[in-house]
Amino acid sequence: MFRSRFMEVRVRYAPSPTGLQHIGGIRTALFNYFFARANGGKFILRVEDTDRERYSDESLDDLYSTLDWLGIKWDEGPVVGGPYGPYIQSERFDLYKEYAEKLVDMGKAYYCFCTPERLEEVRKQQVESKSEYQGYDRHCAHLSDSEIKEYLRQGIKPVIRLRVPTEGKTTFHDILMGDITRRNRDVSPDPILLKSDGFPTYHLANVVDDHLMHITHIMRAQEWIPSGPLHVLLYEAFGWEVPQYCHLPMVMGKDGQKLSKRHGSTAVRDFRAKGYLPEAILNYVTLVGWSLDGSTEFFSKEALEKCFTMEGIHKSPAVFDYKKLDWFNGQYIRQCDDKRLAELITPYLEEAGYVSSPLSEADKNLIAQIVPPVKERMKVLSDVVPLTSFLFRDVPVEDKATYIAKGSDEENTKEALIEGSEILLAGLKNGKAESEIEEDLVALSQKLGIKVNGVFQPIRVAITNSTVSLPLFDSIRLLGIEETENRLKRAERLFEEK
């Protein structure tokens, strides 16, 4: 199935801890993880933390906690270790220096002593002359040994640059995109591999680590395609086998633009805080740019670990649909057993101040009663707060317009509220079946010549203080008949006021 000097699939997720884990990055992690599992291979986590200016401990903690929340376990990497560690780039600096020096010794790279001032002057001249050639002018590409020694004697610390061929082309094969070719003259001219402070650039560290960690397949976003030829040139300079590339389709918003904060939350932590379940995120995000058969939508993590194939990855950009994710999450919430769901919604009720922490027995009993009706109404776990607020905080709606359903008016709403309340309360007190009471309320709407919601909306708003609520009879059971009657009478008085 794959070609490599190794008999085992080895893939990696190598994020930079400079920001929170976002949907695009996590999709890359999931694709790599499931591909490894489906092929009996290894999933490696590597932390590329060479950008020390933007590095943050919060980002690193978020990486670990996000993967843990999703149930994604890495076979090798930070914390768990492995045979090719360390797996944090800042702990591998000696390796990068060693391999950069090897390229210098082989004549594939060279020391460059150009100052930032000189480089800026060269750039200005190229811009002013509108030169076809833009970039480093290879000023130090052919320094003699004596010139190099003199610079070093002066205490000038060099960078190490890759010697990129000026003629010919470089081609690499992408499993999805096919052969991708670029003229060598268009590759970044002699890019820096090792900075003067000893820090590696992304390109050197990435290639060295992928080789030393025996990575067989590199699955990463399509935005890295332009770096492909440069990385291949590095592999060839070292004389190493090039891993197989698979550049993943971009994740877009519904407007056709790359997914970003302007579309909504993109950080997985935000989705988690709002109340999306890990299994819903894992399932839906994996479907953003991949499918098994074009029709199956629901996959458990265990199923994806068996059925994921690289052939199922799409070439074209994939759309992240927030509404579709809501639908997925709602489906998974309804599949939850009541005990688990009670545990999941409790933190939201505690944060809202609706229940005590730790829970009292009364709170536990109430939450257990809340679960069945809210399960059918929630898209995300945090929905439990607005859906149940009427039970904990009685804030009556004093704007008559809120009670009036579309197509009705104030006079009909008043009659519907008064007569509907009488029908509802009489039925409840006399032990009438809920279905029969509902039929009587429908009959009332016909009598008044209004739509059914013209009767139910004012009653619902009176009882729950909201137009969006739990089912009517569930709300009444949780609230109690006495409190229900008090709220209905209060609403009637509102409409009797002039």
Side-chain angles (χ1 to χ4, degrees):
M1 185 174 182
F2 64 93
R3 173 186 59 82
S4 173
R5 67 192 189 283
F6 302 103
M7 296 303 294
E8 177 184 61
V9 165
R10 291 178 60 83
V11 296
R12 48 73 165 175
Y13 178 49
S16 174
T18 55
L20 300 178
Q21 290 298 297
H22 56 83
I23 291 299
I26 282 300
R27 190 195 61 169
T28 297
L30 293 175
F31 279 18
N32 276 281
Y33 172 81
F34 289 130
F35 180 69
R37 289 290 176 268
N39 287 278
K42 293 290 193 297
F43 173 66
I44 292 93
L45 178 65
R46 185 171 74 228
V47 176
E48 299 193 339
D49 63 340
T50 56
D51 185 349
R52 302 308 295 180
E53 289 185 4
R54 296 194 300 148
Y55 167 86
S56 75
D57 288 336
E58 179 189 13
S59 298
L60 186 60
D61 291 342
D62 181 69
L63 165 64
Y64 296 151
S65 65
T66 298
L67 292 178
D68 181 65
W69 179 65
L70 291 170
I72 302 302
K73 306 298 182 185
W74 52 97
D75 301 298
E76 299 173 22
V79 183
V80 302
Y84 306 110
Y87 294 89
I88 296 178
Q89 285 189 336
S90 60
E91 299 174 8
R92 298 170 62 85
F93 280 0
D94 289 344
L95 274 173
Y96 306 132
K97 187 175 188 303
E98 173 189 343
Y99 279 92
E101 295 284 0
K102 282 184 179 181
L103 289 179
V104 173
D105 293 342
M106 292 188 292
K108 302 296 180 67
Y110 59 90
Y111 296 116
C112 173
F113 297 89
C114 292
T115 64
E117 292 76 19
R118 181 187 180 278
L119 295 176
E120 178 61 22
E121 183 60 32
V122 169
R123 188 193 68 79
K124 285 183 179 179
Q125 290 178 5
Q126 289 172 346
V127 171
E128 290 172 0
S129 64
K130 298 181 181 178
S131 172
E132 179 184 356
Y133 185 88
Q134 298 287 325
Y136 182 59
D137 62 356
R138 297 183 169 90
H139 176 74
C140 296
H142 303 288
L143 293 177
S144 65
D145 289 345
S146 60
E147 287 174 314
I148 292 173
K149 289 179 180 178
E150 177 58 24
Y151 278 121
L152 294 174
R153 188 190 66 79
Q154 295 175 27
I156 301 175
K157 293 184 178 180
V159 301
I160 294 180
R161 292 181 179 271
L162 177 68
R163 199 182 296 275
V164 175
T166 56
E167 302 295 330
K169 300 176 180 179
T170 295
T171 298
F172 71 93
H173 181 75
D174 182 273
I175 292 172
L176 288 183
M177 313 299 292
D179 287 344
I180 297 174
T181 301
R182 192 175 183 187
R183 296 184 304 176
N184 289 333
R185 62 180 293 184
D186 295 330
V187 175
S188 178
D190 292 6
I192 295 173
L193 301 179
L194 196 72
K195 302 173 187 178
S196 59
D197 59 5
F199 274 63
T201 59
Y202 167 80
H203 304 293
L204 175 67
N206 186 272
V207 168
V208 168
D209 286 348
D210 282 341
H211 175 75
L212 296 182
M213 293 178 185
H214 301 177
I215 301 303
T216 60
H217 297 74
I218 295 176
M219 301 171 70
R220 61 187 184 186
Q222 284 184 6
E223 62 193 49
W224 290 108
I225 286 178
S227 298
L230 172 57
H231 291 180
V232 169
L233 285 171
L234 264 171
Y235 280 106
E236 292 176 346
F238 281 115
W240 295 339
E241 179 181 349
V242 180
Q244 294 194 51
Y245 284 99
C246 179
H247 286 90
L248 308 176
M250 299 288 285
V251 179
M252 317 295 279
K254 294 194 74 173
D255 60 358
Q257 300 299 309
K258 183 179 177 181
L259 189 70
S260 67
K261 291 180 180 179
R262 68 175 176 273
H263 296 105
S265 294
T266 60
V268 177
R269 185 166 75 177
D270 293 343
F271 289 98
R272 182 178 178 180
K274 193 173 181 181
Y276 289 87
L277 301 184
E279 53 265 45
I281 293 288
L282 185 146
N283 187 162
Y284 179 67
V285 171
T286 303
L287 293 180
V288 179
W290 177 86
S291 65
L292 177 65
D293 52 22
S295 59
T296 306
E297 290 191 307
F298 286 93
F299 295 89
S300 66
K301 182 166 75 75
E302 292 72 25
L304 287 166
E305 289 174 346
K306 296 176 181 178
C307 72
F308 188 90
T309 64
M310 203 175 283
E311 289 76 14
I313 300 174
H314 305 159
K315 290 184 180 180
S316 56
V319 175
F320 185 84
D321 187 338
Y322 288 84
K323 289 185 178 179
K324 187 65 177 287
L325 174 59
D326 283 349
W327 179 80
F328 260 93
N329 203 59
Q331 298 302 310
Y332 274 101
I333 285 175
R334 282 175 257 307
Q335 291 175 22
C336 273
D337 65 69
D338 288 359
K339 182 179 179 182
R340 180 192 176 205
L341 192 55
E343 293 173 350
L344 290 172
I345 64 174
T346 294
Y348 296 93
L349 296 172
E350 289 176 340
E351 185 178 359
Y354 291 171
V355 296
S356 61
S357 179
L359 294 176
S360 65
E361 285 303 313
D363 286 338
K364 290 179 183 178
N365 292 333
L366 179 56
I367 291 173
Q369 295 176 57
I370 286 173
V371 166
V374 297
K375 178 185 284 192
E376 301 303 318
R377 287 291 190 273
M378 290 191 298
K379 293 179 181 177
V380 292
L381 297 174
S382 58
D383 284 344
V384 69
V385 174
L387 284 172
T388 63
S389 63
F390 73 98
L391 296 172
F392 305 98
R393 292 178 181 169
D394 183 19
V395 182
V397 176
E398 297 182 352
D399 180 5
K400 292 181 182 179
T402 306
Y403 294 81
I404 302 172
K406 186 177 181 180
S408 188
D409 55 31
E410 185 174 331
E411 188 57 35
N412 278 323
T413 299
K414 177 181 178 180
E415 291 185 43
L417 181 60
I418 294 172
E419 293 189 41
S421 296
E422 185 177 338
I423 291 170
L424 177 63
L425 292 170
L428 291 170
K429 291 176 180 179
N430 293 326
K432 201 170 188 179
E434 292 175 359
S435 58
E436 292 182 26
I437 298 174
E438 190 169 333
E439 289 174 4
D440 291 342
L441 292 174
V442 171
L444 174 61
S445 70
Q446 295 169 346
K447 170 189 168 184
L448 297 175
I450 59 178
K451 294 182 179 180
V452 172
N453 201 37
V455 172
F456 281 90
Q457 180 163 318
I459 292 174
R460 185 183 304 111
V461 172
I463 294 172
T464 68
N465 303 320
S466 175
T467 56
V468 179
S469 65
L470 302 178
L472 178 61
F473 291 103
D474 287 322
S475 299
I476 293 171
R477 273 192 293 276
L478 291 168
L479 195 61
I481 293 178
E482 182 179 348
E483 180 61 20
T484 295
E485 183 172 11
N486 291 338
R487 294 188 182 189
L488 288 169
K489 297 300 182 184
R490 181 176 63 195
E492 288 177 22
R493 291 194 294 273
L494 174 67
F495 274 86
E496 288 169 352
E497 296 173 358
K498 293 184 179 180

